[in-house]
């Protein structure tokens, strides 16, 4: 019966990053229900490093993550984690005020974010439909994230520090006795004084097994697909394009276009699959906003993005269950915030102060706590 200091349930980006930072000072075991880490939300993300996306807390976590992404520790990855992409928010006439408000909100934090005319936006992405797009905002420094390299960098570093990753370890029982958690899984039983709930869409279910009150987390399905690039266009240098109300996004992907209707359909925890209606909606929205002809969908998939009631991330000890730490509600922000969240969570788990470069951006334990007012009032 393996003993350690910390058991982390979930080897997606949340559990892997926390385990990486913890393993330098603690004996860590990461349990993953699937046969490979990152199988669910982490492996299905159109990840972009963008500081103009999400709440004030998410944007601060993203900014704080920038130095790690740009200059990771020696040996963390074989090549750069970020590739320049650019992010273009586009607006119809009825969305112009939404776009301008968003620019006003983020311009103080991201100083190179700037408003563009429709003509300037079309120059960056020539398939945008004239007359449909009337204004845009560009974040030129937004970058694609190599998710596989990031995840495997965390896991490799964790192992190098002596941590373990156990796959095929679906949790079947959790009990606390004499100050220690006993976690029964399909791969054996594991014991530690601290249990980290990084179970993604299954986080509330794990909480129930541990005797903790669920937070009311909601997994939401998001659909994506690959379509051929339009003839005569080299799409490689195009920015990622996002509708101002986030009803559509598309970006270059290996010579094709990755397209999503940005759906958020509540779902039970599961191995998500795309719905034909959502695929059709994505195609219809793309053709309304652009001149891209969609002759066939090369591939489609779906993933679950799990949200707390206020859509901010959750990190902190449960106030009523000793030794039970929440690391959940990553939503669509888990990958771009993972260097910051990993450091912040590991500090809280170890009883250390949050690093100063995080607090300097206004981040606090209270803002992410599982008992913060916005979650205490949420239905469960």
């Amino acid at each position: 019966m393996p003993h350690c200091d910390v058991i982390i349930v979930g080897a997606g980006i949340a559990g892997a990053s926390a385990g990486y930072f913890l393993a330098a000072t603690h004996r860590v075991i990461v349990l993953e229900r699937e046969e490979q880490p990152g199988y669910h939300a982490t492996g299905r993300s159109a990840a972009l490093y963008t500081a103009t996306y999400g709440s004030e807390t998410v944007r601060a976590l993203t900014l704080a993550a920038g130095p790690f992404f740009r200059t990771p520790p020696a040996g963390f990855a074989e090549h750069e984690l970020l590739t320049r992409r650019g992010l273009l928010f586009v607006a119809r006439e009825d969305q112009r005020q939404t776009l301008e408000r968003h620019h006003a909100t983020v311009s103080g934090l991201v100083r190179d974010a700037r408003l563009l005319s429709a003509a300037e936006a079309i120059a960056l992405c020539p398939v945008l439909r004239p007359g449909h797009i009337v204004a845009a905002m560009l974040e030129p420094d937004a970058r694609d994230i190599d998710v596989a390299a990031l995840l495997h960098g965390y896991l490799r570093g964790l192992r190098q520090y002596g941590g373990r990753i156990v796959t095929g370890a679906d949790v079947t029982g959790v009990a606390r006795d004499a100050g220690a958690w006993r976690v029964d899984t399909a791969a054996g039983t594991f014991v530690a004084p601290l249990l980290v709930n990084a179970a993604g869409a299954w986080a509330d279910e794990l909480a129930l097994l541990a005797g903790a009150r669920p937070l009311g987390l909601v997994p939401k399905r998001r659909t994506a697909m690959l379509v051929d690039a339009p003839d005569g266009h080299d799409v490689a240098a195009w920015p990622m394009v996002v509708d101002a109300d986030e009803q559509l996004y598309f970006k270059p992907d290996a010579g094709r276009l990755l397209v999503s209707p940005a759906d958020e359909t509540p779902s039970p925890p599961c191995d998500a699959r795309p719905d034909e209606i959502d695929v059709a909606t994505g195609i219809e929205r793309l053709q309304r906003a652009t001149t891209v002809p969609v002759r066939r969908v090369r591939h489609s998939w779906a993933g679950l993005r799990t949200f707390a009631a206020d859509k901010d991330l959750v990190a902190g000890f449960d106030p009523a269950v000793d030794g039970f730490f929440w690391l959940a509600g990553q939503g669509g922000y888990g990958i771009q915030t993972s260097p910051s969240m990993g450091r912040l969570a590991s500090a809280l788990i170890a009883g250390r102060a949050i690093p100063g470069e995080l607090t300097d951006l206004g981040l606090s334990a209270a803002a992410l706590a599982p008992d913060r007012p916005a979650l205490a009032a949420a239905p469960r």
Side-chain angles (χ1 to χ4, degrees):
M1 190 181 299
H3 287 65
C4 60
D5 299 319
V6 183
I7 294 170
I8 299 175
V9 177
I13 203 71
S17 57
Y20 169 78
F21 287 103
L22 268 174
T25 55
H26 292 68
R27 295 173 299 162
V28 176
I29 294 177
V30 180
L31 305 177
E32 169 55 48
R33 63 180 291 152
E34 306 296 345
E35 294 301 324
Q36 66 185 56
Y39 174 78
H40 290 285
T42 298
R44 309 179 193 191
S45 172
L48 195 75
Y49 177 80
T50 163
T52 60
Y53 184 47
S55 69
E56 182 178 357
T57 297
V58 169
R59 294 195 298 270
L61 285 164
T62 303
L63 276 179
F68 185 99
F69 278 122
R70 295 185 183 97
T71 312
F76 184 87
E78 296 178 356
H79 53 265
E80 293 185 353
L81 296 172
L82 301 180
T83 304
R84 185 176 291 276
R85 169 62 54 206
L87 176 60
L88 187 67
F89 288 92
V90 296
R92 305 182 304 268
E93 183 59 48
D94 61 301
Q95 297 172 314
R96 188 192 291 271
Q97 289 187 347
T98 299
L99 182 78
E100 292 173 349
R101 284 195 300 268
H102 184 55
H103 176 258
T105 298
V106 304
S107 58
L109 204 61
V110 184
R111 299 190 183 280
D112 60 354
R114 62 183 186 272
L115 293 173
L116 303 180
S117 67
E120 290 171 318
I122 292 170
L124 292 172
C125 182
V127 294
L128 290 171
R129 192 177 293 280
H132 183 85
I133 302 301
V134 300
M137 185 190 85
L138 177 67
E139 182 189 352
D141 200 39
R143 295 170 183 257
D144 288 331
I145 302 172
D146 188 329
V147 179
L150 180 66
L151 177 65
H152 289 293
Y154 288 138
L155 297 175
R156 182 170 53 247
L158 187 156
R159 291 189 182 102
Q160 289 173 344
Y161 284 126
R164 283 184 63 193
I165 300 134
V166 183
T167 57
D170 189 17
V171 175
T172 57
V174 180
R176 187 165 179 85
D177 182 53
W181 289 102
R182 174 188 171 114
V183 181
D184 297 319
T185 80
T189 296
F190 303 85
V191 176
L194 299 177
L195 177 60
V196 177
N197 181 2
W202 288 264
D204 269 354
E205 292 189 359
L206 180 67
L208 285 170
L209 284 177
R213 185 184 180 195
L215 295 183
L217 300 170
V218 180
K220 296 183 178 183
R221 187 180 70 241
R222 172 145 297 182
T223 306
M225 66 206 79
L226 282 177
V227 302
D228 290 334
D231 294 339
H233 289 276
D234 180 3
V235 302
W238 289 2
M240 182 172 182
V241 177
V242 181
D243 174 82
D245 289 326
E246 200 177 344
Q247 297 176 340
L248 167 74
Y249 62 78
F250 62 92
K251 62 177 283 193
D253 188 297
R256 294 191 169 105
L257 293 179
L258 185 158
V259 182
S260 174
D263 46 321
E264 291 189 347
T265 306
S267 168
C270 65
D271 186 357
R273 293 288 185 266
D275 187 287
E276 290 183 3
I277 292 176
D278 294 324
V279 172
T281 298
I283 294 171
E284 188 275 331
R285 290 177 180 174
L286 178 71
Q287 294 186 314
R288 190 192 317 158
T290 75
T291 58
V292 175
V294 179
R295 301 180 181 91
R296 62 177 293 193
V297 174
R298 293 284 180 174
H299 176 54
S300 63
W301 66 95
L304 297 182
R305 305 154 78 244
T306 301
F307 292 93
D310 58 2
K311 288 201 168 184
D312 267 334
L313 287 69
V314 183
F317 281 104
D318 191 284
V321 180
D322 188 37
F324 186 82
F325 189 92
W326 288 89
L327 185 54
Q330 303 290 304
Y333 319 114
I335 294 169
Q336 70 181 55
T337 63
S338 62
S340 302
M341 281 296 289
R343 294 183 65 207
L344 187 149
S346 65
L348 295 177
I349 292 165
R352 301 191 301 264
I354 297 173
E357 55 267 35
L358 300 182
T359 58
D360 288 347
L361 288 169
L363 296 166
S364 67
L368 298 166
D371 58 345
R372 60 185 185 256
L375 301 193
R380 307 186 185 189

